PDB file of all heavy atoms in Angstrom:
ATOM      1  N   GLY O   3      23.209  43.690 -36.576  1.00 56.00           N
ATOM      2  CA  GLY O   3      23.654  44.177 -35.279  1.00 56.00           C
ATOM      3  C   GLY O   3      24.033  43.130 -34.262  1.00 56.00           C
ATOM      4  O   GLY O   3      23.964  43.378 -33.077  1.00 56.00           O
ATOM      5  N   VAL O   4      24.413  41.952 -34.683  1.00 69.00           N
ATOM      6  CA  VAL O   4      24.756  40.896 -33.736  1.00 69.00           C
ATOM      7  C   VAL O   4      26.191  41.112 -33.257  1.00 69.00           C
ATOM      8  O   VAL O   4      27.088  41.372 -34.042  1.00 69.00           O
ATOM      9  CB  VAL O   4      24.590  39.508 -34.392  1.00 69.00           C
ATOM     10  CG1 VAL O   4      25.055  38.417 -33.465  1.00 69.00           C
ATOM     11  CG2 VAL O   4      23.130  39.290 -34.766  1.00 69.00           C
ATOM     12  N   GLY O   5      26.398  41.025 -31.948  1.00 83.00           N
ATOM     13  CA  GLY O   5      27.721  41.203 -31.356  1.00 83.00           C
ATOM     14  C   GLY O   5      27.859  40.239 -30.196  1.00 83.00           C
ATOM     15  O   GLY O   5      27.740  39.029 -30.371  1.00 83.00           O
ATOM     16  N   ALA O   6      28.045  40.781 -29.001  1.00 87.00           N
ATOM     17  CA  ALA O   6      28.164  39.940 -27.807  1.00 87.00           C
ATOM     18  C   ALA O   6      26.892  39.152 -27.557  1.00 87.00           C
ATOM     19  O   ALA O   6      26.915  38.120 -26.889  1.00 87.00           O
ATOM     20  CB  ALA O   6      28.492  40.803 -26.585  1.00 87.00           C
ATOM     21  N   ASP O   7      25.765  39.595 -28.121  1.00 91.00           N
ATOM     22  CA  ASP O   7      24.488  38.923 -27.895  1.00 91.00           C
ATOM     23  C   ASP O   7      24.151  37.853 -28.950  1.00 91.00           C
ATOM     24  O   ASP O   7      23.059  37.304 -28.944  1.00 91.00           O
ATOM     25  CB  ASP O   7      23.361  39.940 -27.803  1.00 91.00           C
ATOM     26  CG  ASP O   7      23.174  40.782 -29.058  1.00 91.00           C
ATOM     27  OD1 ASP O   7      24.040  40.706 -29.958  1.00 91.00           O
ATOM     28  OD2 ASP O   7      22.188  41.521 -29.128  1.00 91.00           O
ATOM     29  N   GLU O   8      25.091  37.519 -29.819  1.00 92.00           N
ATOM     30  CA  GLU O   8      24.819  36.529 -30.876  1.00 92.00           C
ATOM     31  C   GLU O   8      24.281  35.207 -30.322  1.00 92.00           C
ATOM     32  O   GLU O   8      23.299  34.666 -30.846  1.00 92.00           O
ATOM     33  CB  GLU O   8      26.061  36.273 -31.732  1.00 92.00           C
ATOM     34  CG  GLU O   8      25.787  35.275 -32.835  1.00 92.00           C
ATOM     35  CD  GLU O   8      26.990  35.050 -33.738  1.00 92.00           C
ATOM     36  OE1 GLU O   8      28.131  35.354 -33.339  1.00 92.00           O
ATOM     37  OE2 GLU O   8      26.765  34.564 -34.863  1.00 92.00           O
ATOM     38  N   PRO O   9      24.855  34.640 -29.229  1.00 93.00           N
ATOM     39  CA  PRO O   9      24.299  33.383 -28.705  1.00 93.00           C
ATOM     40  C   PRO O   9      22.843  33.516 -28.230  1.00 93.00           C
ATOM     41  O   PRO O   9      22.078  32.556 -28.302  1.00 93.00           O
ATOM     42  CB  PRO O   9      25.227  33.036 -27.542  1.00 93.00           C
ATOM     43  CG  PRO O   9      26.526  33.704 -27.892  1.00 93.00           C
ATOM     44  CD  PRO O   9      26.113  34.991 -28.553  1.00 93.00           C
ATOM     45  N   TYR O  10      22.459  34.690 -27.780  1.00 94.00           N
ATOM     46  CA  TYR O  10      21.059  34.935 -27.382  1.00 94.00           C
ATOM     47  C   TYR O  10      20.140  34.737 -28.579  1.00 94.00           C
ATOM     48  O   TYR O  10      19.133  34.023 -28.503  1.00 94.00           O
ATOM     49  CB  TYR O  10      20.926  36.351 -26.821  1.00 94.00           C
ATOM     50  CG  TYR O  10      19.496  36.804 -26.618  1.00 94.00           C
ATOM     51  CD1 TYR O  10      18.777  36.398 -25.496  1.00 94.00           C
ATOM     52  CD2 TYR O  10      18.873  37.651 -27.530  1.00 94.00           C
ATOM     53  CE1 TYR O  10      17.466  36.820 -25.304  1.00 94.00           C
ATOM     54  CE2 TYR O  10      17.569  38.081 -27.341  1.00 94.00           C
ATOM     55  CZ  TYR O  10      16.870  37.657 -26.231  1.00 94.00           C
ATOM     56  OH  TYR O  10      15.581  38.075 -26.037  1.00 94.00           O
ATOM     57  N   TRP O  11      20.480  35.376 -29.705  1.00 93.00           N
ATOM     58  CA  TRP O  11      19.646  35.296 -30.903  1.00 93.00           C
ATOM     59  C   TRP O  11      19.651  33.894 -31.495  1.00 93.00           C
ATOM     60  O   TRP O  11      18.626  33.413 -31.984  1.00 93.00           O
ATOM     61  CB  TRP O  11      20.092  36.340 -31.931  1.00 93.00           C
ATOM     62  CG  TRP O  11      19.822  37.721 -31.428  1.00 93.00           C
ATOM     63  CD1 TRP O  11      20.734  38.630 -30.983  1.00 93.00           C
ATOM     64  CD2 TRP O  11      18.541  38.346 -31.286  1.00 93.00           C
ATOM     65  NE1 TRP O  11      20.100  39.772 -30.562  1.00 93.00           N
ATOM     66  CE2 TRP O  11      18.753  39.630 -30.739  1.00 93.00           C
ATOM     67  CE3 TRP O  11      17.224  37.937 -31.541  1.00 93.00           C
ATOM     68  CZ2 TRP O  11      17.709  40.502 -30.472  1.00 93.00           C
ATOM     69  CZ3 TRP O  11      16.180  38.811 -31.272  1.00 93.00           C
ATOM     70  CH2 TRP O  11      16.438  40.076 -30.735  1.00 93.00           C
ATOM     71  N   LEU O  12      20.785  33.220 -31.459  1.00 94.00           N
ATOM     72  CA  LEU O  12      20.842  31.845 -31.959  1.00 94.00           C
ATOM     73  C   LEU O  12      19.967  30.922 -31.099  1.00 94.00           C
ATOM     74  O   LEU O  12      19.253  30.068 -31.637  1.00 94.00           O
ATOM     75  CB  LEU O  12      22.285  31.348 -31.984  1.00 94.00           C
ATOM     76  CG  LEU O  12      23.206  32.035 -32.991  1.00 94.00           C
ATOM     77  CD1 LEU O  12      24.655  31.581 -32.806  1.00 94.00           C
ATOM     78  CD2 LEU O  12      22.731  31.789 -34.422  1.00 94.00           C
ATOM     79  N   ALA O  13      20.012  31.106 -29.790  1.00 95.00           N
ATOM     80  CA  ALA O  13      19.178  30.289 -28.903  1.00 95.00           C
ATOM     81  C   ALA O  13      17.706  30.589 -29.137  1.00 95.00           C
ATOM     82  O   ALA O  13      16.887  29.658 -29.224  1.00 95.00           O
ATOM     83  CB  ALA O  13      19.549  30.548 -27.438  1.00 95.00           C
ATOM     84  N   LEU O  14      17.334  31.876 -29.247  1.00 95.00           N
ATOM     85  CA  LEU O  14      15.940  32.216 -29.508  1.00 95.00           C
ATOM     86  C   LEU O  14      15.476  31.599 -30.822  1.00 95.00           C
ATOM     87  O   LEU O  14      14.353  31.085 -30.909  1.00 95.00           O
ATOM     88  CB  LEU O  14      15.736  33.730 -29.571  1.00 95.00           C
ATOM     89  CG  LEU O  14      15.439  34.478 -28.276  1.00 95.00           C
ATOM     90  CD1 LEU O  14      15.027  35.906 -28.575  1.00 95.00           C
ATOM     91  CD2 LEU O  14      14.448  33.791 -27.389  1.00 95.00           C
ATOM     92  N   SER O  15      16.323  31.637 -31.831  1.00 94.00           N
ATOM     93  CA  SER O  15      15.974  31.046 -33.127  1.00 94.00           C
ATOM     94  C   SER O  15      15.690  29.551 -33.001  1.00 94.00           C
ATOM     95  O   SER O  15      14.938  28.986 -33.781  1.00 94.00           O
ATOM     96  CB  SER O  15      17.085  31.272 -34.150  1.00 94.00           C
ATOM     97  OG  SER O  15      17.181  32.653 -34.444  1.00 94.00           O
ATOM     98  N   ALA O  16      16.288  28.918 -31.988  1.00 96.00           N
ATOM     99  CA  ALA O  16      16.074  27.493 -31.726  1.00 96.00           C
ATOM    100  C   ALA O  16      14.961  27.275 -30.696  1.00 96.00           C
ATOM    101  O   ALA O  16      14.752  26.150 -30.240  1.00 96.00           O
ATOM    102  CB  ALA O  16      17.375  26.856 -31.244  1.00 96.00           C
ATOM    103  N   GLY O  17      14.271  28.351 -30.301  1.00 96.00           N
ATOM    104  CA  GLY O  17      13.162  28.237 -29.357  1.00 96.00           C
ATOM    105  C   GLY O  17      13.557  28.183 -27.901  1.00 96.00           C
ATOM    106  O   GLY O  17      12.774  27.769 -27.052  1.00 96.00           O
ATOM    107  N   GLN O  18      14.785  28.611 -27.583  1.00 96.00           N
ATOM    108  CA  GLN O  18      15.291  28.563 -26.209  1.00 96.00           C
ATOM    109  C   GLN O  18      15.674  29.957 -25.735  1.00 96.00           C
ATOM    110  O   GLN O  18      15.965  30.836 -26.542  1.00 96.00           O
ATOM    111  CB  GLN O  18      16.530  27.689 -26.141  1.00 96.00           C
ATOM    112  CG  GLN O  18      16.339  26.282 -26.601  1.00 96.00           C
ATOM    113  CD  GLN O  18      17.676  25.549 -26.696  1.00 96.00           C
ATOM    114  OE1 GLN O  18      18.725  26.054 -26.301  1.00 96.00           O
ATOM    115  NE2 GLN O  18      17.653  24.344 -27.224  1.00 96.00           N
ATOM    116  N   LEU O  19      15.704  30.132 -24.424  1.00 97.00           N
ATOM    117  CA  LEU O  19      16.197  31.374 -23.826  1.00 97.00           C
ATOM    118  C   LEU O  19      17.533  31.072 -23.149  1.00 97.00           C
ATOM    119  O   LEU O  19      17.602  30.237 -22.245  1.00 97.00           O
ATOM    120  CB  LEU O  19      15.213  31.926 -22.798  1.00 97.00           C
ATOM    121  CG  LEU O  19      15.717  33.119 -21.988  1.00 97.00           C
ATOM    122  CD1 LEU O  19      16.039  34.305 -22.903  1.00 97.00           C
ATOM    123  CD2 LEU O  19      14.703  33.521 -20.930  1.00 97.00           C
ATOM    124  N   LYS O  20      18.579  31.748 -23.615  1.00 96.00           N
ATOM    125  CA  LYS O  20      19.894  31.632 -22.988  1.00 96.00           C
ATOM    126  C   LYS O  20      20.398  33.035 -22.698  1.00 96.00           C
ATOM    127  O   LYS O  20      20.281  33.938 -23.539  1.00 96.00           O
ATOM    128  CB  LYS O  20      20.882  30.888 -23.881  1.00 96.00           C
ATOM    129  CG  LYS O  20      20.593  29.422 -24.003  1.00 96.00           C
ATOM    130  CD  LYS O  20      21.703  28.688 -24.716  1.00 96.00           C
ATOM    131  CE  LYS O  20      21.394  27.202 -24.742  1.00 96.00           C
ATOM    132  NZ  LYS O  20      22.511  26.446 -25.320  1.00 96.00           N
ATOM    133  N   LEU O  21      20.964  33.186 -21.505  1.00 96.00           N
ATOM    134  CA  LEU O  21      21.573  34.460 -21.097  1.00 96.00           C
ATOM    135  C   LEU O  21      22.992  34.186 -20.630  1.00 96.00           C
ATOM    136  O   LEU O  21      23.295  33.096 -20.141  1.00 96.00           O
ATOM    137  CB  LEU O  21      20.772  35.088 -19.959  1.00 96.00           C
ATOM    138  CG  LEU O  21      19.324  35.479 -20.267  1.00 96.00           C
ATOM    139  CD1 LEU O  21      18.630  35.976 -19.007  1.00 96.00           C
ATOM    140  CD2 LEU O  21      19.272  36.517 -21.360  1.00 96.00           C
ATOM    141  N   PRO O  22      23.870  35.187 -20.756  1.00 95.00           N
ATOM    142  CA  PRO O  22      25.248  34.989 -20.321  1.00 95.00           C
ATOM    143  C   PRO O  22      25.361  35.051 -18.798  1.00 95.00           C
ATOM    144  O   PRO O  22      24.711  35.864 -18.149  1.00 95.00           O
ATOM    145  CB  PRO O  22      26.000  36.141 -20.976  1.00 95.00           C
ATOM    146  CG  PRO O  22      24.974  37.208 -21.168  1.00 95.00           C
ATOM    147  CD  PRO O  22      23.678  36.505 -21.380  1.00 95.00           C
ATOM    148  N   GLU O  23      26.209  34.176 -18.273  1.00 95.00           N
ATOM    149  CA  GLU O  23      26.574  34.189 -16.866  1.00 95.00           C
ATOM    150  C   GLU O  23      28.092  34.189 -16.784  1.00 95.00           C
ATOM    151  O   GLU O  23      28.762  33.522 -17.579  1.00 95.00           O
ATOM    152  CB  GLU O  23      26.044  32.958 -16.122  1.00 95.00           C
ATOM    153  CG  GLU O  23      24.589  32.992 -15.836  1.00 95.00           C
ATOM    154  CD  GLU O  23      24.150  31.803 -14.974  1.00 95.00           C
ATOM    155  OE1 GLU O  23      24.736  30.708 -15.080  1.00 95.00           O
ATOM    156  OE2 GLU O  23      23.203  31.983 -14.228  1.00 95.00           O
ATOM    157  N   CYS O  24      28.596  34.917 -15.808  1.00 96.00           N
ATOM    158  CA  CYS O  24      30.039  34.946 -15.589  1.00 96.00           C
ATOM    159  C   CYS O  24      30.493  33.588 -15.077  1.00 96.00           C
ATOM    160  O   CYS O  24      29.924  33.046 -14.127  1.00 96.00           O
ATOM    161  CB  CYS O  24      30.380  36.043 -14.585  1.00 96.00           C
ATOM    162  SG  CYS O  24      32.132  36.094 -14.173  1.00 96.00           S
TER     163      CYS O  24
END
Side-chain angles (χ1 to χ4, degrees):
V4 175
D7 61 350
E8 181 178 20
Y10 169 80
W11 293 107
L12 293 173
L14 272 190
S15 293
Q18 302 171 6
L19 173 61
K20 289 189 177 185
L21 297 175
E23 285 186 329
C24 177

